[in-house]
């Protein structure tokens, strides 16, 4: 098993309470379907700062900005990609970047 970080970018915000409930239900169903593969359910990101050798600036490093994360376990990076093919973030205009981690 390997640990994989899912980073979310893009996507749309629900405009009504009904849309918000539908989005939350879709995410809940995805998490439920993932079961024990969820290592850390993650959270959305808020404000950010960029720290470099040049100093500190407001805002994210990437564009579009990363909006949240989830950590999962999978047998391989390819298996992790298979697990996110039906991710709800994709259904709402977003993208999921899948990153395999390794122990140092």
């Amino acid at each position: 098993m390997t640990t994989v970080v899912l980073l979310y970018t893009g996507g749309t915000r629900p405009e009504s309470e009904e849309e918000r409930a539908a989005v939350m239900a879709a995410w809940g169903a995805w998490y439920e379907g993932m079961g024990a593969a969820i290592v850390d359910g993650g959270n959305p990101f808020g404000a950010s700062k960029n720290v470099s050798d040049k100093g500190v600036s407001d805002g994210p490093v990437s564009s579009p900005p990363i909006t949240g994360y989830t950590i999962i376990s999978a047998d391989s990076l390819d298996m992790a990609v298979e697990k996110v093919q039906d991710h709800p973030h994709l259904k709402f205009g977003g993208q999921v970047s899948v990153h395999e981690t390794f122990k140092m």
Side-chain angles (χ1 to χ4, degrees), residues 4 6 30 34 72-87 90 96 98:
V4 178
L6 309 178
W30 184 80
M34 290 293 289
I72 66 171
S73 63
D75 290 333
S76 67
L77 181 60
D78 289 336
M79 291 298 292
V81 168
E82 284 184 33
K83 289 182 177 198
V84 300
Q85 293 294 310
D86 65 344
H87 197 287
L90 302 173
V96 180
V98 183

Side-chain angles (χ1 to χ4, degrees), residues 6 21 23 35 37 40 51 56 73 75 79 87 91-92:
L6 309 178
V23 168
D40 177 347
V51 181
V56 178
S73 63
D75 290 333
M79 291 298 292
H87 197 287
K91 295 177 178 90
F92 298 99

Side-chain angles (χ1 to χ4, degrees), residues 36-95:
I38 299 292
V39 173
D40 177 347
N43 285 295
F45 293 143
S48 65
K49 298 275 186 178
N50 180 21
V51 181
S52 73
D53 62 347
K54 309 258 188 286
V56 178
S57 60
D58 289 331
V61 174
S62 65
S63 181
I66 299 168
T67 57
Y69 76 97
T70 301
I71 301 174
I72 66 171
S73 63
D75 290 333
S76 67
L77 181 60
D78 289 336
M79 291 298 292
V81 168
E82 284 184 33
K83 289 182 177 198
V84 300
Q85 293 294 310
D86 65 344
H87 197 287
H89 192 62
L90 302 173
K91 295 177 178 90
F92 298 99
Q95 298 149 343

